[in-house]
Amino acid sequence: MKNEKMIQALNDQVNKEFFSAYLYLAMQAYFSSLNLDGFANYFRVQVQEERDHALGFFNYLTRIGGKATLAGIKEPQNEFSSPQEIFELALKHEQFITQSISDLMDISREIKDHKTEIFLQWYISEQVEEEENMGRVLNKLKLIKGDGAGLFMIDSELAQRLYVPAVIPGAV
Ligand code: OFO
């Protein structure tokens, strides 16, 4: 049985995940413009992960017979004042996404949509990692207080991040 409230909320989440990719692409552009290639790599990987998250919701919607309706993606912030500001914004955005996915879980429980509840569990766990990752880099940036050598050390570390395609149960 299809529930229109659930279908609409899943559609909205597709949009939010693509917006996440768009926002992080703007952050990648900022770091590339400063030749901070490790930070740029970090966000390049993040963009790919967000695209996977969006397509996961899209594929799940299709599988349960709910047509995906693609809305416009709003313009992200494009100007930033510092790496620390970027990670503060990114962490805040991930907290917003965590709340959004928790709201989806509440709807699935309210309407006893157990299959969607199980599908959402991967995203709930993923959000722990998403907030943790952004928070860890943010804490390091706070520690170095704008020191150039410290910034380059973090940049080298973030250059190591690799993209691993997400395997989302229920979305393939
Ligand atoms: Fe960053 O987790 Fe999706 O949006």
Side-chain angles (χ1 to χ4, degrees):
M1 186 193 75
K2 285 187 279 184
N3 178 287
E4 288 312 317
K5 186 176 173 188
M6 191 80 249
I7 297 290
Q8 183 58 52
L10 288 166
N11 260 302
D12 290 346
Q13 194 63 34
V14 171
N15 190 273
K16 287 173 190 169
E17 299 291 344
F18 275 121
F19 174 76
S20 301
Y22 218 37
L23 175 65
Y24 295 143
L25 198 57
M27 294 176 174
Q28 179 186 338
Y30 168 84
F31 285 116
S32 291
S33 75
L34 296 177
N35 295 325
L36 285 168
D37 297 335
F39 281 94
N41 173 65
Y42 180 92
F43 280 101
R44 183 183 62 80
V45 172
Q46 193 66 33
V47 168
Q48 290 171 301
E49 288 195 0
E50 298 302 350
R51 178 203 57 197
D52 287 350
H53 298 169
L55 292 177
F57 279 108
F58 177 91
N59 291 341
Y60 179 73
L61 255 174
T62 306
R63 289 189 74 191
I64 62 171
K67 184 180 175 301
T69 307
L70 302 178
I73 300 169
K74 74 174 185 208
E75 182 180 333
Q77 180 171 339
N78 275 289
E79 303 298 330
F80 307 99
S81 60
S82 68
Q84 184 170 324
E85 185 206 5
I86 287 209
F87 278 87
E88 280 165 356
L89 288 168
L91 176 58
K92 199 166 156 215
H93 181 69
E94 287 304 330
Q95 289 164 342
F96 163 73
I97 293 292
T98 299
Q99 184 59 55
S100 181
I101 291 170
S102 297
D103 292 345
L104 286 173
M105 185 63 102
D106 288 346
I107 297 171
S108 69
R109 287 184 174 163
E110 180 190 309
I111 64 171
K112 297 190 181 354
D113 180 352
H114 301 299
K115 62 184 186 310
T116 300
E117 190 176 332
I118 290 168
F119 167 70
L120 290 169
Q121 277 168 5
W122 182 91
Y123 284 92
I124 296 275
S125 303
E126 174 72 4
Q127 282 312 116
V128 175
E129 197 179 307
E130 293 284 79
E131 288 190 31
E132 185 184 18
N133 287 345
M134 295 300 180
R136 283 172 68 90
V137 180
L138 177 59
N139 285 341
K140 287 179 185 177
L141 287 168
K142 284 180 179 168
L143 277 174
I144 64 166
K145 296 185 171 70
D147 173 69
L151 193 64
F152 282 115
M153 276 180 65
I154 300 172
D155 192 60
S156 301
E157 186 189 317
L158 299 186
Q160 308 304 316
R161 188 179 188 195
L162 295 174
Y163 167 62
V164 179
V167 179
I168 305 170
V172 284

